[in-house]
Amino acid sequence: MTYQHSYAQSIADPAAFWAEQASHLAWYRAPTQTLQDNPDGTHRWFADGSLNSCYLALDHQIEQGRGEQLALIYDSPVTATQRTFTYHQLRDEVARLAGLLRQLGVGKGDGVIIYMPMVPEAAMAMLACARIGAVHSVVFGGFAANELALRIDDARPTLLLTASCGLEFDRVIEYKPLVDRALQLARHQPGHVLVLQRPQVAAPLQAGRDLDWQQALASAEPVAPVALEAGDPLYIMYTSGTTGKPKGIVRENGGNAVALRYAMQHIYGMQAGDVWWGISDVGWVVGHSLIVYGPLMSGCTTVFYEGKPIRTPDAAAYWRVVEQYRVNALFCAPTAMRAIRKEDPDGELLRRHDLGSLRQLFLAGEKLDSSTHEWLERVSGKPVHDHWWQTETGWPVTAPCVGLEGSAARPGSSNRAVPGYHVQVLDDDGHLLGPNHQGSIVIALPLPPGCSQTLWGDHERYLQAYLHTYPGYYHTGDGGYLDDDGFVYIMGRTDDVINVSGHRLSTGEMEDLVARHPTVAECAVIGVHDDIKGQVPLALVVLKDGESIAESQLLVELVGSVREAIGALACFNRVRVVKRLPKTRSGKILRAVLRKIADGQDYTPPSTLDDPAVLGEIEAVLADLPRAG
Ligand code: AMP
């Protein structure tokens, strides 16, 4: 099947195309209805299909003869541990954990929060929820108590699963105090907190509420997967929107299973028996699609890595893993490769490892800059591909489809739309733009299977955020253009979301925190260029009249409050005091101009600018910022 043929068919007749893809799945009851329109513009995929995602990821693989194949390889340089699980072993662990969850009162449709480091039990927890139809929501371990509390109140979990600690290089981060604090802040309280005690730290348990994971598991009985409707939610993944309240992206079982099977095979070129490494964390969408569900549902061996690109112990860590487990393809974020490049610019460490098994590397999460792209291809000698997706879509929107004939890759672009995605570019008035014209990147409806069709408990917000801006299209929030051959170039967000080390963060949320400081009259937080992290936040602050505070003191206090409320992952450590902010005559802060000044780019003062003199003042204050090389 060629890329061109698949793509054309997927757009001309999405129902026929996806019915064919769905027919390859081991449904309990195969769907007879493929695609239905809802009156509000959303869609239902495979409405009458019945399946179980955990069954597809484990039991079905065993039925296919893969019981003794490795399902998951846990490699943890931070604890000097390596453990492997065959499909049989992983299924047995998951079935028993699912039995424990049920014993603790978790049933179909109940929320379960998983706040855990990269230990295999985190993957088991996700799969155990899927087995009994509970809806998991993994919260990234780097998030502070306040962020966890927001998610607890939104997901209203029956149970919260955590571990005593996570490990950052050689630093132990205790999780339990964060969980306790979050539960003090949250209005909703889960019935129990299940705590995995790691050897590095023993977490104190609160009698009645907290349970020791291993002890509780000892008496649990394995349970079988339950039959779920295709539209039943598999998980909630919170992502930053433009406000402080995170959006609970909902992923459905049916669409997800069909889409991930398609993606693993046709985009990433993976077959059953291959070794796949999704380098990320279970706390992100990649962790769901490319560490747990995608590779396991495809019968691959998934590498589960608790370590960093550098300093665990060095910049050869990734290459050591590739060699040791004969990894066939990997996914990672550009920021990780930039960190490796900084320490091993000539690839000397890389060359000490045999990368013979590796077919290609896929990068996403932020734009793959051409310098890193060229460097990585040169030192690895492998094809390196940029591809683009979002938490909302759950799988790539644009990518080279290495499993389809006739698929091409074009360095510098995020490649072409994947079958199923009708990617187009619109101007501000919603008119279609031709090739090489920059505008808002949209996807003509229907979105293919797997893409989120609602937000947890707030369907209206979904419609507002994604479908109402341009009727008939899904609004991605990214700007960019297509070239003459349909290759897509992503230029960045058009809203107030920034991307720090591939993690999406809301500048609006940071502005709220900065504005709460008693000396601050108003502020703007923007994303500015960073050589390693891609972007980092910069706060421009106007002090209240009569207030004076040393910039260094203000920095310390603001860094403290952002860390406390969001977490260290925000990398918030730049603050500049300015006399005033550039605004439109109607009083809107012109953040796009601020971004350009901060990054040292050329700009045209917007015609709506109230007082052009302000730009010179800002330029002077920001003159010493590091600039894009
Ligand atoms: P997230 O939902 O956290 O995965 O973030 C999705 C956002 O990250 C997208 O909307 C883009 O702004 C950005 N992004 C992801 N992959 C790429 C890429 N390959 N090129 C440019 N931006 C990307």
Side-chain angles (χ1 to χ4, degrees), residues 83-103:
R83 278 163 75 194
T84 57
F85 300 84
T86 62
Y87 270 96
H88 244 135
Q89 290 167 331
L90 191 59
R91 194 271 314 268
D92 291 350
E93 296 276 356
V94 167
R96 218 145 55 84
L97 183 57
L100 172 59
L101 299 193
R102 198 174 270 167
Q103 208 177 300

Side-chain angles (χ1 to χ4, degrees), residues 108-407:
K108 178 170 177 272
D110 288 343
V112 172
I113 291 235
I114 301 173
Y115 184 69
M116 294 184 70
M118 279 295 285
V119 288
E121 287 80 359
M124 292 170 194
M126 294 161 71
L127 291 160
C129 289
R131 198 168 186 84
I132 57 172
V135 185
H136 61 73
S137 179
V138 187
V139 178
F140 177 62
F143 274 120
N146 172 59
E147 292 287 329
L148 178 56
L150 285 172
R151 287 156 175 78
I152 291 171
D153 278 337
D154 199 74
R156 306 182 58 76
T158 308
L159 182 69
L160 191 153
L161 291 94
T162 190
S164 58
C165 67
L167 296 146
E168 280 277 314
F169 302 110
D170 44 8
R171 214 158 53 89
V172 173
I173 297 161
E174 292 194 38
Y175 275 29
K176 191 62 191 343
L178 287 164
V179 169
D180 290 340
R181 173 93 187 107
L183 288 173
Q184 277 166 6
L185 295 171
R187 286 185 309 279
H188 175 85
Q189 299 294 308
H192 289 287
V193 176
L194 193 60
V195 185
L196 181 76
Q197 299 284 17
R198 302 189 77 186
Q200 295 77 13
V201 169
L205 302 184
Q206 184 180 308
R209 187 194 69 184
D210 302 346
L211 300 167
D212 180 286
W213 186 302
Q214 293 304 348
Q215 275 174 16
L217 197 60
S219 59
E221 292 294 329
V223 293
V226 300
L228 299 170
E229 300 299 311
D232 283 337
L234 170 64
Y235 69 80
I236 311 167
M237 177 83 244
Y238 287 94
T239 187
S240 298
T242 47
T243 68
K245 189 171 183 291
K247 294 183 195 157
I249 303 299
V250 176
R251 188 90 50 225
E252 296 171 2
N253 278 281
N256 184 60
V258 174
L260 291 185
R261 193 196 149 280
Y262 186 80
M264 289 306 294
Q265 188 179 345
H266 297 297
I267 298 176
Y268 298 110
M270 300 305 284
Q271 301 293 338
D274 281 344
V275 181
W276 166 262
W277 186 14
I279 313 178
S280 182
D281 187 285
V282 285
W284 307 117
V285 67
V286 178
H288 292 58
S289 300
L290 295 187
I291 297 180
V292 178
Y293 292 109
L296 295 177
M297 285 176 171
S298 307
C300 298
T301 299
T302 186
V303 178
F304 196 95
Y305 178 71
E306 186 184 26
K308 302 279 178 190
I310 54 169
R311 290 175 54 204
T312 61
D314 57 24
Y318 281 7
W319 316 126
R320 190 264 303 162
V321 171
V322 168
E323 177 177 10
Q324 189 166 343
Y325 306 116
R326 312 300 299 153
V327 171
N328 297 122
L330 64 79
F331 171 103
C332 100
T335 183
M337 289 302 172
R338 289 196 294 264
I340 293 173
R341 178 188 186 182
K342 191 155 172 270
E343 303 212 348
D344 187 24
D346 301 321
E348 269 176 43
L349 292 172
L350 178 146
R351 275 191 292 280
R352 293 186 199 157
H353 294 277
D354 173 7
L355 306 188
S357 59
L358 194 63
R359 299 194 286 257
Q360 47 239 328
L361 300 91
F362 294 88
L363 278 80
E366 60 181 301
K367 189 171 170 55
L368 174 58
D369 59 282
S370 50
S371 158
T372 307
H373 193 157
E374 283 160 22
W375 170 80
L376 187 54
E377 270 190 342
R378 182 163 48 79
V379 294
S380 71
K382 309 284 175 183
V384 171
H385 302 304
D386 189 6
H387 65 320
W388 167 67
W389 47 303
Q390 310 183 305
T391 304
E392 289 83 344
T393 64
W395 65 291
V397 181
T398 69
C401 293
V402 306
L404 291 174
E405 281 168 37
S407 170

Side-chain angles (χ1 to χ4, degrees), residues 584-604:
T584 61
R585 280 177 218 105
S586 61
K588 282 208 183 71
I589 298 173
L590 288 157
R591 291 182 178 76
V593 176
L594 286 173
R595 279 196 292 271
K596 291 217 155 120
I597 296 178
D599 284 341
Q601 292 172 4
D602 293 338
Y603 65 91
T604 318

Side-chain angles (χ1 to χ4, degrees), residues 523-539:
C523 67
V525 176
I526 54 169
V528 295
H529 173 82
D530 181 88
D531 276 344
I532 300 291
K533 298 185 164 65
Q535 279 188 307
V536 289
L538 163 74

Side-chain angles (χ1 to χ4, degrees), residues 370-626:
S370 50
S371 158
T372 307
H373 193 157
E374 283 160 22
W375 170 80
L376 187 54
E377 270 190 342
R378 182 163 48 79
V379 294
S380 71
K382 309 284 175 183
V384 171
H385 302 304
D386 189 6
H387 65 320
W388 167 67
W389 47 303
Q390 310 183 305
T391 304
E392 289 83 344
T393 64
W395 65 291
V397 181
T398 69
C401 293
V402 306
L404 291 174
E405 281 168 37
S407 170
R410 184 164 289 178
S413 84
S414 297
N415 294 299
R416 282 183 297 198
V418 166
Y421 289 102
H422 193 187
V423 176
Q424 296 185 303
V425 181
L426 302 182
D427 70 13
D428 289 345
D429 299 322
H431 299 124
L432 276 175
L433 289 169
N436 305 308
H437 289 283
Q438 201 169 313
S440 286
I441 302 198
V442 295
I443 302 165
L445 299 176
L447 289 169
C451 296
S452 177
Q453 298 282 344
T454 193
L455 295 178
W456 187 251
D458 200 349
H459 189 62
E460 190 50 37
R461 189 175 177 202
Y462 175 91
L463 299 176
Q464 287 291 343
Y466 303 111
L467 301 193
H468 282 177
T469 317
Y470 301 111
Y473 298 94
Y474 166 83
H475 179 220
T476 67
D478 283 317
Y481 64 95
L482 271 63
D483 69 13
D484 294 316
D485 304 316
F487 286 83
V488 177
Y489 296 75
I490 306 291
M491 308 309 287
R493 299 286 306 185
T494 53
D495 56 15
D496 295 331
V497 170
I498 61 169
N499 195 315
V500 179
S501 297
H503 305 326
R504 212 156 116 181
L505 295 164
S506 157
T507 52
E509 185 177 9
M510 292 185 227
E511 284 181 5
D512 278 355
L513 293 165
V514 172
R516 277 189 223 158
H517 191 278
T519 65
V520 171
E522 65 174 346
C523 67
V525 176
I526 54 169
V528 295
H529 173 82
D530 181 88
D531 276 344
I532 300 291
K533 298 185 164 65
Q535 279 188 307
V536 289
L538 163 74
L540 296 169
V541 170
V542 180
L543 296 181
K544 286 180 185 156
D545 283 352
E547 288 285 356
S548 75
I549 180 169
E551 205 172 68
S552 55
Q553 180 58 28
L554 184 64
L555 176 71
V556 170
E557 293 175 18
L558 293 178
V559 166
S561 62
V562 174
R563 265 184 180 242
E564 165 76 19
I566 300 177
L569 83 167
C571 296
F572 180 93
N573 55 20
R574 290 181 189 183
V575 174
R576 291 285 194 285
V577 175
V578 293
K579 278 202 287 208
R580 53 199 177 131
L581 292 166
K583 289 187 183 169
T584 61
R585 280 177 218 105
S586 61
K588 282 208 183 71
I589 298 173
L590 288 157
R591 291 182 178 76
V593 176
L594 286 173
R595 279 196 292 271
K596 291 217 155 120
I597 296 178
D599 284 341
Q601 292 172 4
D602 293 338
Y603 65 91
T604 318
S607 54
T608 49
L609 182 64
D610 184 26
D611 177 4
V614 65
L615 299 179
E617 295 166 21
I618 303 270
E619 278 176 26
V621 173
L622 299 185
D624 63 330
L625 282 180

